[in-house]
Amino acid sequence: MNTTADRLLISERIEEIHKALSKMIAINQMPISFCSSPGFKHFMNVVEPNYTPCSPQSESYITIICHTIDKQWIPKSFTLTTHEVDERHTAVNKARHLEKSLVEWDIEKKAIAIVTDNAANVISAVSQLELNDNMEKSGLTCAAHSLRLAVNKTLSDDEIQSILMKSSKIVGHFKHSSIAIKALEKMQQLNKPKLTLLQYCKTRWNSSFLMLERLYLNRTPIMNVLSDRTITVSSIARKLEMLESEWSVSIIISTSETIASSYYIFYSGELESFVSMVRPLIHTILTSHYEHAV
C-alpha cells in the first residue's frame, strides 16, 4: 500500500494547491515569506508531503495600485496588477511596464499623478511617460518613504549610532540574564509600574524610539541593578554604563522620532492620505518642532 509520502503529485494538483495558497495569502493579507516558515512547512508535510511551495525570493515583481474618488467623494483603492519583471530594472523597462498596465486598464488618459518611492530608476521611468498632458510629469515621491529616509539619515550619525548600540547592549543584557531581569522587575515595583524593555530592530520604523523611551522610563531601576555588585559584576557594569550626556541625547532622539512617527501614520494610510496633506504637514513639523529657539 502506498503511503502519503510515496504519492506523486500531478501538475493539476500542484496548480490547485498553488491557487488555494495564493488565495489564502491574499484574503488574510499575509506575507509571502509565510510559505517558507517552519510552521507552514510542517503543516504541508502532514497534509501533502510532496508539495513544494513557490519561492519568489529571487524574482522581482511590480505592483500598481490605483487611488481614486467615487461620485460620493469617498476615496477608493484598487490593486491593478502584480506581475513578474524578468528583465533589468532600468527606467526604460519600468516605464514600459507602467504604460502597458495603464493602457490595459484604459486609464492612461485619466491618470493625473503617479506616486513612487525615491528610487532613481522609478522616478526616471515616470518622467519618461507621455500619456496625459495634465499628468504631473516629474512624478511624486512617497512622503512617508521620504520621511523614513530622513530619519535614517539622522540615526546614521556616529554619536547616535554609539548610543543606539550601547542601549541595545543594555536591553540584550537584561533579555539574556534571568538574574538581572528579576532584579529589574523588583526595582520597577519600587519606582513605577513594570515596563518591559524593547529591543532595537533596524527594519522597524519606530523601534529605536521605543527602545530609548523604555530605557529612559526605566532609567532608575536599570542603574540600580547595574550598580549592585551582587547582581552585576563590575566588568559588565562598565561596558553598559550610560553617561548623563548620553541619557540626555537618547531622550531627544526618542522625542524626535515619535514626532516623525506620528506624522508617518498620516502619510501611510492607504485611503486617508492625500497629496494635499503633504506640504501642510511638513510645514507643521518644521515650524512646531524643528525651528531653532531664539
Side-chain angles (χ1 to χ4, degrees):
M1 181 180 295
N2 290 336
T3 64
T4 303
D6 295 329
R7 186 176 66 207
L8 295 177
L9 288 177
I10 61 176
S11 58
E12 290 80 3
R13 176 60 175 165
I14 294 175
E15 184 63 22
E16 181 183 13
I17 298 176
H18 280 342
K19 289 182 178 180
L21 177 58
S22 300
K23 186 174 182 178
M24 179 184 68
I25 290 175
I27 292 176
N28 295 332
Q29 298 184 356
M30 304 169 67
I32 300 295
S33 58
F34 168 76
C35 299
S36 58
S37 65
F40 177 75
K41 290 180 178 179
H42 173 73
F43 174 78
M44 290 307 301
N45 190 49
V46 174
V47 176
E48 199 66 79
N50 293 318
Y51 172 71
T52 302
C54 297
S55 179
Q57 295 179 355
S58 59
E59 300 171 352
S60 299
Y61 294 84
I62 183 172
T63 295
I64 301 176
I65 301 175
C66 177
H67 300 273
T68 185
I69 300 176
D70 65 14
K71 293 181 180 180
Q72 286 72 43
W73 287 89
I74 298 175
K76 300 289 184 180
S77 179
F78 306 93
T79 299
L80 299 185
T81 179
T82 295
H83 60 264
E84 184 180 359
V85 178
D86 54 5
E87 65 262 21
R88 293 181 62 191
H89 294 188
T90 63
V92 174
N93 289 336
K94 286 186 176 292
R96 180 170 54 81
H97 279 281
L98 284 170
E99 183 174 358
K100 179 182 177 181
S101 297
L102 295 177
V103 170
E104 287 178 349
W105 284 92
D106 193 25
I107 59 174
E108 71 276 13
K109 301 298 182 183
K110 301 176 182 178
I112 60 173
I114 299 179
V115 180
T116 70
D117 61 16
N118 288 270
N121 57 344
V122 180
I123 296 174
S124 178
V126 173
S127 67
Q128 295 179 26
L129 295 176
E130 296 182 0
L131 304 174
N132 182 356
D133 293 337
N134 296 321
M135 190 179 78
E136 177 67 44
K137 296 298 182 182
S138 61
L140 297 169
T141 55
C142 174
H145 187 238
S146 300
L147 184 59
R148 175 70 265 181
L149 292 176
V151 172
N152 287 344
K153 180 68 174 179
T154 302
L155 294 179
S156 65
D157 177 80
D158 291 340
E159 181 182 5
I160 294 178
Q161 279 296 309
S162 176
I163 293 175
L164 288 176
M165 289 180 62
K166 184 175 291 189
S167 300
S168 182
K169 289 180 180 179
I170 294 175
V171 175
H173 170 70
F174 284 96
K175 292 287 187 182
H176 295 96
S177 173
S178 57
I179 297 176
I181 194 63
K182 288 181 179 178
L184 178 62
E185 291 174 352
K186 185 177 180 180
M187 291 292 182
Q188 286 176 328
Q189 294 175 357
L190 299 176
N191 293 275
K192 58 189 66 179
K194 177 183 175 181
L195 293 172
T196 305
L197 299 182
L198 300 174
Q199 187 56 277
Y200 166 54
C201 176
K202 290 184 177 180
T203 57
R204 289 179 56 197
W205 161 257
N206 59 348
S207 64
S208 56
F209 144 67
L210 293 173
M211 176 184 70
L212 295 175
E213 181 189 49
R214 287 296 178 88
L215 279 176
Y216 194 83
L217 292 175
N218 285 282
R219 177 182 178 180
T220 300
I222 288 173
M223 294 180 67
N224 288 340
V225 172
L226 295 180
S227 62
D228 190 335
R229 291 296 167 263
T230 63
I231 303 172
T232 310
V233 298
S234 57
S235 59
I236 295 178
R238 284 195 298 269
K239 293 180 180 178
L240 302 178
E241 181 184 9
M242 288 272 281
L243 302 176
E244 182 63 34
S245 59
E246 292 175 322
W247 282 112
S248 299
V249 174
S250 69
I251 193 58
I252 294 174
I253 297 172
S254 64
T255 302
S256 299
E257 191 164 355
T258 189
I259 292 171
S261 299
S262 63
Y263 287 98
Y264 177 79
I265 296 174
F266 287 104
Y267 286 142
S268 59
E270 187 170 289
L271 296 179
E272 297 81 16
S273 298
F274 307 97
V275 172
S276 59
M277 295 170 56
V278 175
R279 289 184 177 177
L281 285 175
I282 291 178
H283 176 76
T284 301
I285 294 175
L286 296 175
T287 56
S288 300
H289 305 292
Y290 293 105
E291 281 192 341
H292 291 290
V294 178

